């Protein structure tokens, strides 16, 4: 928390009552000063806006076929067309919808479930902790993408199954981070104070412990979004993702595999879309990590 | 130490057993089986015959015990497709390919990453350092399968330097074997080397500030000796601790990149099995992939104690 200490150095005597609000301000200000964060955030805003307004900004229907097969990028088809004469630009913009939706929804679900599991395991200990930790340890033995593949192998393909698979694959990271935080917060004086004035377990957990775990959780969530987007693209590319014909970046790459030697644009642009999205998320996540100073949790991939 | 190794090995076996068991039951809990998918509309009777042949008409727990009994004896069953090849044979053919690919990727990227990390640390905040940092960021953000595709287009289709896809066994010569593996190895190794390069850089920077480096310089050692024998050796300790995690990433990269390069390794066997709903193949591949992961983790943990004698396990 290096940054907050600097503020305290300047005004050592005035510990304002509204510390929470002040902290939030410093947080935003340092974010604004970080060049990487600003670039990442701007690109992400453009991507989300593009995904939301896809039907207005795309010149063609993403599934409309045409007789202009495998056309190179031109003024009529900005990024060219695929083997069925579909406009690549329109398909990539629509593809952003799936990628961003899967990336955000899986991480949101994984965060909620993972945080609850971590809180329960860390706070109550005993058999609850044992049970949850056995499960987390089981997942810990494998990289997230492999777990997602295992789960899709079991559940089958399709958008819902992919979301379930990626959510389950990522939630152990959150549970692990939160549990280790709770274990140390639990011993703090203010928790004892809260307990001695008769706070219920629920109130201690939600009102006193949960707010103190937010920084690492936010950082973990940002990092996870980029991995979730990569995982979805990978699953779609392997044919384990969404239904065929849905425009997603991974699937466009997979569909066009046979035409790559003749049509470089089919290989380059969808991959570029994935890379730019993941890169800006990583930029943003990296800046958050510096600001919140949670390096010790960095290894949780 | 021996007690620790035995305990960890036992635990690793439990993890593998748990994964295999969960996968076994969940595969059967999902409605529909491969024979229904193949034949139900055409010939329900034939589907029934096949189900009986593969024992899938029995209660699930009976299937489980029969299956478990066979696994222990090293029999992974037969593929339900084509000529019903034994799964153990498919895996025996696939295994060396995945191992060769991962090992090559590991070596190439470790070499690149540690050199890049050391250079970045020595020349910190120079143009070169910024370039390496940016390349590392891109490497982490790029999907490995996409990098594979780009490499195929550039080095195989345009330049004709390397074969595009496929695999040739080592018995047909060193170069044919290697040339088929280099492009996929680079594709798999890139995110891995990005992580290692960043780790090496920060570890080197930390070590270079320590007192014994100052002492080494003060007594007039050559800069090269200071960097390589004094700084790098100590900087590599924290790097090796992430190598385990990063190696897992490498293996999961192999699963997907093998499909780009049509190398019939474990990853491709697994994915094809899933797409065909070929239960015995999926189960066999998951079992073997899990064994690789769990025992690599174990091996890396044990390696720490050798590299850093300060670490002791009970």
């Amino acid at each position: 928390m290096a940054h907050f200490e600097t503020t305290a150095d300047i005004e050592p005597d005035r510990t304002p009552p509204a510390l929470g609000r002040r902290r939030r301000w410093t947080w935003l200000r340092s974010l604004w000063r970080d060049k990487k964060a600003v670039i990442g955030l701007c690109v992400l805003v453009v991507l989300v806006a593009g995904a939301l307004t896809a039907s207005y900004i795309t010149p063609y229907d993403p599934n409309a076929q045409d007789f202009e097969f495998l056309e190179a990028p031109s003024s009529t088809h900005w990024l060219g067309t695929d083997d069925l004469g579909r406009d690549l630009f329109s398909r990539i913009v629509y593809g952003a919808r799936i990628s961003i939706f899967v990336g955000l929804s899986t991480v949101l679900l994984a965060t909620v479930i993972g945080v609850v599991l971590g809180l329960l395991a860390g706070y109550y200990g005993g058999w609850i902790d044992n049970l949850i930790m056995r499960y987390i340890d089981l997942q810990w033995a494998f990289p997230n993408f492999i777990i997602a593949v295992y789960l899709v192998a079991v559940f089958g393909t399709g958008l819902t199954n992919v979301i379930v698979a990626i959510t389950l694959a990522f939630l152990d990271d959150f549970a692990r981070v939160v549990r280790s935080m709770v274990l140390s917060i639990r011993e703090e004086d203010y928790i004892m104070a809260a307990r001695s004035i008769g706070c219920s377990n629920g109130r201690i957990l939600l009102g006193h412990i949960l707010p103190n775990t937010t920084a690492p959780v936010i950082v973990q969530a940002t990092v996870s979004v980029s991995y979730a987007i990569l995982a979805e693209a990978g699953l779609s590319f392997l044919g384990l993702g969404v239904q065929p014909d849905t425009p997603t970046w991974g699937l466009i790459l997979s569909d066009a595999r046979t035409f790559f030697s003749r049509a470089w644009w089919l290989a380059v642009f969808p991959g570029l879309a994935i890379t730019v999205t993941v890169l800006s998320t990583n930029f943003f996540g990296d800046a958050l990590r510096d600001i919140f100073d949670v390096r010790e949790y960095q290894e949780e991939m | 130490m021996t007690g620790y190794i035995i305990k960890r090995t036992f635990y690793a076996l439990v993890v593998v057993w748990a994964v295999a068991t969960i996968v076994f039951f969940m595969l059967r809990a999902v409605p529909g089986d491969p024979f229904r998918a193949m034949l139900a509309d055409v010939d329900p009777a034939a589907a029934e015959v096949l189900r009986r042949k593969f024992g899938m008409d029995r209660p699930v727990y009976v299937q489980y015990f029969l299956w478990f009994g066979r696994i222990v004896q090293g029999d992974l069953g037969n593929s339900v497709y084509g000529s019903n090849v034994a799964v153990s044979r498919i895996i025996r053919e696939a295994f060396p390919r995945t191992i060769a690919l991962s090992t090559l990727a590991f070596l190439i990227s470790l070499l690149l990453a540690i050199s890049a990390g050391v250079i970045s640390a020595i020349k910190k905040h120079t143009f070169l350092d910024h370039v390496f940092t940016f390349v590392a960021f891109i490497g982490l953000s790029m999907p490995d399968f996409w990098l594979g595709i780009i490499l195929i287009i550039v080095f195989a289709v345009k330049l004709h330097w390397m074969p595009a896809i496929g695999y040739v066994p080592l018995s047909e010569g060193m170069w044919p074997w290697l040339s088929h593996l280099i492009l996929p190895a680079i594709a798999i190794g890139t995110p891995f080397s990005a992580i290692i390069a960043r780790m090496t850089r920060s570890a080197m920077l930390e070590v270079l500030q320590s007192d014994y480096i100052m002492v080494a310089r003060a007594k007039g050692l050559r800069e090269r000796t200071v960097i390589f024998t004094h700084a790098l050796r100590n900087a590599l300790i924290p790097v090796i601790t992430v190598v385990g995690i990063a190696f897992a990433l490498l293996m999961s990269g192999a699963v997907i990149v093998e499909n780009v390069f049509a190398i019939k390794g474990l990853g491709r066997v697994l994915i094809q099995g899933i797409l065909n709903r070929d239960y015995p193949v999926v189960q066999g591949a998951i079992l073997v992939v899990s064994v690789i992961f769990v025992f690599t983790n174990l091996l890396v943990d044990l390696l720490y104690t050798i590299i850093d004698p300060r670490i002791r396990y009970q």
Side-chain angles (χ1 to χ4, degrees):
Chain A
M1 303 257 164
H3 198 86
F4 306 144
E5 280 164 19
T6 357
T7 331
D9 278 346
I10 302 163
E11 301 166 291
D13 301 328
R14 285 172 55 199
T15 314
L19 194 67
R21 179 176 296 239
R22 283 175 59 90
R23 281 192 172 187
R24 225 166 290 155
W25 265 111
T26 352
W27 178 81
L28 272 178
R29 246 204 328 257
S30 10
L31 196 65
W32 187 244
R33 278 203 213 102
D34 193 315
K35 229 184 302 169
K36 276 192 309 195
V38 175
I39 296 172
L41 200 60
C42 289
V43 176
L44 287 178
V45 167
V46 170
L47 280 167
V48 171
L52 288 176
T53 58
S55 49
Y56 300 103
I57 60 168
T58 52
Y60 301 90
D61 182 290
N63 287 318
Q65 303 184 6
D66 205 329
F67 290 110
E68 295 158 330
F69 309 121
L70 294 176
E71 277 208 8
S74 64
S75 55
T76 44
H77 293 285
W78 297 339
L79 301 183
T81 62
D82 67 4
D83 55 306
L84 296 174
R86 295 176 294 195
D87 181 54
L88 187 58
F89 175 73
S90 309
R91 288 183 74 71
I92 287 181
V93 174
Y94 271 91
R97 285 192 168 176
I98 303 278
S99 280
I100 292 172
F101 175 68
V102 173
L104 292 180
S105 62
T106 52
V107 171
L108 198 68
L109 286 170
T111 309
V112 172
I113 304 171
V115 167
V116 170
L117 289 182
L119 284 176
L120 292 178
Y123 187 71
Y124 287 105
W127 67 268
I128 299 180
D129 186 29
N130 243 317
L131 191 72
I132 294 174
M133 276 314 284
R134 287 295 82 78
Y135 167 69
I136 293 172
D137 278 345
L138 192 64
Q139 287 213 2
W140 185 243
F142 306 96
N144 288 345
F145 182 71
I146 291 293
I147 296 172
V149 170
Y150 283 7
L151 290 169
V152 170
V154 168
F155 296 143
T157 57
L159 184 60
T160 323
N161 289 341
V162 165
I163 290 178
V164 173
I166 297 180
T167 302
L168 288 175
F170 281 69
L171 66 82
D172 63 310
D173 297 342
F174 292 94
R176 190 174 280 268
V177 168
V178 171
R179 175 180 176 273
S180 67
M181 294 227 49
V182 174
L183 285 181
S184 62
I185 296 174
R186 198 171 61 168
E187 308 301 325
E188 296 280 345
D189 289 342
Y190 59 83
I191 299 297
M192 208 204 292
R195 193 168 293 139
S196 63
I197 59 168
C199 286
S200 65
N201 281 333
R203 182 156 172 198
I204 293 175
L205 267 175
L206 298 178
H208 298 274
I209 294 181
L210 183 64
N212 285 301
T213 62
T214 32
V217 168
I218 289 174
V219 172
Q220 179 65 43
T222 323
V223 176
S224 297
V225 168
S226 67
Y227 282 105
I229 289 175
L230 281 177
E232 186 275 327
L235 289 174
S236 293
F237 178 76
L238 291 173
L240 304 177
V242 296
Q243 299 299 318
D245 282 345
T246 321
T248 77
W249 296 336
L251 210 52
I252 298 174
L253 276 173
S254 172
D255 283 346
R257 247 189 289 189
T258 25
F259 308 103
F260 284 161
S261 49
R262 274 183 289 158
W264 57 268
W265 53 94
L266 287 177
V268 170
F269 294 121
L272 214 53
I274 303 172
T275 308
V276 167
T277 312
V278 174
L279 189 66
S280 359
T281 317
N282 280 344
F283 272 175
F284 189 61
D286 215 51
L288 284 185
R289 190 152 52 202
D290 288 344
I291 290 163
F292 287 135
D293 200 20
V294 283
R295 288 251 165 236
E296 56 202 285
Y297 299 97
Q298 196 177 0
E299 283 177 33
E300 315 279 335
M301 296 181 293
Chain B
M1 192 63 191
T2 324
Y4 174 75
I5 296 177
I6 293 172
K7 209 175 92 185
R8 280 292 308 266
T9 312
F10 175 74
Y11 181 66
L13 288 173
V14 170
V15 168
V16 171
W17 168 80
V19 169
T21 303
I22 293 170
V23 167
F24 183 93
F25 281 105
M26 286 179 85
L27 271 177
R28 280 156 184 80
V30 177
D33 63 54
F35 309 114
R36 208 161 283 164
M38 274 194 287
L39 288 166
D41 302 333
V42 200
D43 189 353
E48 209 44 52
V49 171
L50 273 177
R51 282 172 60 100
R52 200 159 303 147
K53 185 180 161 201
F54 282 91
M56 288 186 196
D57 54 336
R58 300 222 179 136
V60 174
Y61 66 91
V62 176
Q63 287 185 43
Y64 176 72
F65 285 115
L66 287 174
W67 170 78
F68 193 74
R70 283 199 303 264
I71 292 282
V72 178
Q73 299 168 42
D75 176 8
L76 297 171
N78 292 58
S79 163
V80 301
Y81 277 88
S83 46
N84 307 130
V85 188
V87 174
S88 52
R89 213 182 103 194
I90 299 177
I91 286 176
R92 231 188 350 260
E93 280 169 19
F95 188 78
R97 299 173 188 179
T98 303
I99 295 300
L101 186 56
S102 320
T103 314
L104 191 66
F106 183 73
L107 294 177
I108 294 179
S109 46
L110 211 58
L111 198 71
L112 289 179
I114 293 182
S115 335
V118 170
I119 295 172
S120 278
I122 301 171
K123 311 221 176 259
K124 98 179 142 160
H125 299 317
T126 60
F127 178 68
L128 201 62
D129 179 26
H130 291 310
V131 169
F132 280 149
T133 307
F134 188 69
V135 170
F137 250 113
I138 301 231
L140 263 182
S141 310
M142 212 168 16
D144 39 16
F145 56 92
W146 182 57
L147 181 59
I149 291 167
I150 299 294
L151 289 173
I152 291 179
I153 293 180
V154 174
F155 292 101
V157 178
K158 300 279 180 232
L159 296 173
H160 299 288
W161 286 0
M162 309 274 170
I165 54 168
Y167 176 82
V168 170
L170 186 55
S171 55
E172 291 187 24
M174 186 70 185
W175 175 245
W177 175 74
L178 204 61
S179 65
H180 280 89
L181 288 179
I182 286 182
L183 294 183
I186 293 174
I188 295 168
T190 299
F192 174 80
S193 35
I195 295 174
I196 302 296
R198 283 167 64 92
M199 277 299 295
T200 310
R201 180 182 181 273
S202 60
M204 271 301 269
L205 283 178
E206 209 175 306
V207 169
L208 283 174
Q209 288 182 348
S210 54
D211 290 342
Y212 63 84
I213 295 295
M214 212 203 296
V215 171
R217 284 196 177 127
K219 69 181 181 186
L221 287 182
R222 275 183 312 175
E223 187 64 17
R224 205 192 306 160
T225 321
V226 175
I227 299 289
F228 289 103
T229 44
H230 292 245
L232 185 59
R233 281 184 62 172
N234 286 293
L236 282 183
I237 292 174
V239 173
I240 287 164
T241 57
V242 294
V243 162
I245 300 166
F247 190 76
L249 203 70
L250 200 79
M251 292 289 301
S252 79
V255 168
I256 186 161
V257 170
E258 277 173 5
N259 286 278
V260 178
F261 287 86
I263 295 171
K264 208 157 188 287
L266 290 171
R268 190 158 170 83
V269 168
L270 173 62
I271 303 300
Q272 297 276 320
I274 295 172
L275 292 173
N276 293 334
R277 302 210 72 176
D278 197 340
Y279 290 173
V281 170
V282 173
Q283 282 166 193
I286 287 185
L287 188 72
V288 176
V289 170
S290 307
V291 166
I292 296 179
F293 275 120
V294 171
F295 282 92
T296 321
N297 285 345
L298 178 60
L299 209 66
V300 170
D301 280 355
L302 295 179
L303 215 61
Y304 296 160
T305 57
I306 298 170
I307 292 157
D308 189 350
R310 284 169 299 182
I311 302 172
R312 281 277 171 265
Y313 297 112
Q314 302 87 34

